[in-house]
């Protein structure tokens, strides 16, 4: 499992899909992409979806998603996306009072229990105290993270 922090945009697209009975049906689907701007998010979702959809599609909506981070999973069965709200607990040294700060994460998993497990695995490596407030499945179909064309997938370095 890996995590990635970026600016995420949720993009709603509309297209005609052939359903099980062979008829064409207009569908709306939501995807997430990381980008620097709304313009780049639109360009990226158009590029990504053009390889999956034959025919025309329309980008109906783009909005900034408030994910602090996205936790990806390498598990084959992790085909769903969950929105998790966590509260980070800190102690105000002056007043000696507990302060809670909310943050939203996007978690890839196959089940709700798998999402909670993935959160605990990711957060277990941190020193922050936190509480999982809620975890709910989203309507996201997929998440596309930015991959630089300049960076090779793996770097082979040898020392002589």
């Amino acid at each position: 499992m890996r995590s990635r922090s970026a600016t995420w945009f949720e993009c709603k697209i509309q297209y005609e899909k052939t359903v099980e009975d062979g008829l064409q049906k207009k569908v709306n689907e939501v995807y997430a992409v990381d980008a620097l701007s709304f313009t780049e998010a639109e360009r990226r979702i158009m590029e990504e979806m053009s390889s999956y959809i034959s025919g025309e599609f329309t980008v109906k909506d783009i909005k900034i998603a408030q994910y602090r981070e996205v936790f990806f999973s390498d598990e084959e069965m992790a085909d769903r996306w969950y929105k998790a709200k966590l509260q980070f607990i800190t102690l105000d040294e002056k007043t000696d009072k507990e302060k809670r700060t909310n943050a939203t994460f996007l978690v890839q998993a196959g089940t709700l229990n798998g999402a909670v497990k993935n959160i605990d695995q990711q957060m277990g490596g941190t020193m922050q105290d936190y509480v999982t407030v809620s975890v709910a499945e989203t309507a996201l179909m997929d998440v596309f993270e930015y991959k630089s064309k300049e960076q090779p997938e793996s770097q082979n370095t040898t020392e002589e």
Side-chain angles (χ1 to χ4, degrees), residues 52-155:
Y52 295 105
I53 298 173
S54 60
E56 293 184 23
F57 63 91
T58 306
V59 178
K60 288 295 205 181
D61 186 36
I62 299 175
K63 64 182 180 183
I64 294 176
Q66 300 300 317
Y67 314 136
R68 182 167 171 183
E69 271 186 78
V70 175
F71 297 156
F72 292 91
S73 175
D74 296 326
E75 291 182 26
E76 192 173 316
M77 299 303 289
D79 60 350
R80 295 187 178 122
W81 292 94
Y82 295 85
K83 193 177 285 189
K85 181 178 174 183
L86 304 183
Q87 283 185 342
F88 292 95
I89 304 164
T90 55
L91 195 61
D92 186 324
E93 294 177 16
K94 292 179 182 174
T95 62
D96 209 27
K97 295 202 182 222
E98 197 176 85
K99 180 182 175 192
R100 293 179 178 240
T101 308
N102 293 325
T104 303
F105 294 80
L106 190 63
V107 183
Q108 184 180 23
T111 63
L112 182 69
N113 288 340
V116 172
K117 181 181 164 194
N118 290 351
I119 293 165
D120 289 339
Q121 284 177 342
Q122 287 289 324
M123 298 308 297
T126 69
M127 298 298 286
Q128 289 185 297
D129 290 331
Y130 73 96
V131 175
T132 302
V133 177
S134 66
V135 179
E137 188 172 350
T138 69
L140 286 175
M141 299 299 289
D142 208 350
V143 173
F144 300 106
E145 68 178 316
Y146 178 77
K147 290 186 173 76
S148 172
K149 293 175 183 169
E150 297 166 5
Q151 287 180 315
E153 288 292 319
S154 61
Q155 294 177 328

Side-chain angles (χ1 to χ4, degrees), residues 3-68:
S3 71
R4 181 134 189 325
S5 183
T7 301
W8 291 94
F9 292 83
E10 288 184 357
C11 304
K12 184 187 291 185
I13 64 164
Q14 183 179 67
Y15 67 100
E16 288 204 9
K17 181 179 192 176
T18 305
V19 289
E20 291 176 14
D21 59 8
L23 296 174
Q24 293 282 83
K25 180 182 176 188
K26 228 174 223 187
V27 296
N28 291 301
E29 294 179 346
V30 181
Y31 296 85
V33 297
D34 64 339
L36 298 173
S37 66
F38 284 92
T39 305
E40 183 185 1
E42 182 177 26
R43 181 186 56 76
R44 292 222 33 245
I45 197 63
M46 302 258 318
E47 285 174 4
E48 293 287 353
M49 297 315 299
S50 64
S51 60
Y52 295 105
I53 298 173
S54 60
E56 293 184 23
F57 63 91
T58 306
V59 178
K60 288 295 205 181
D61 186 36
I62 299 175
K63 64 182 180 183
I64 294 176
Q66 300 300 317
Y67 314 136
R68 182 167 171 183

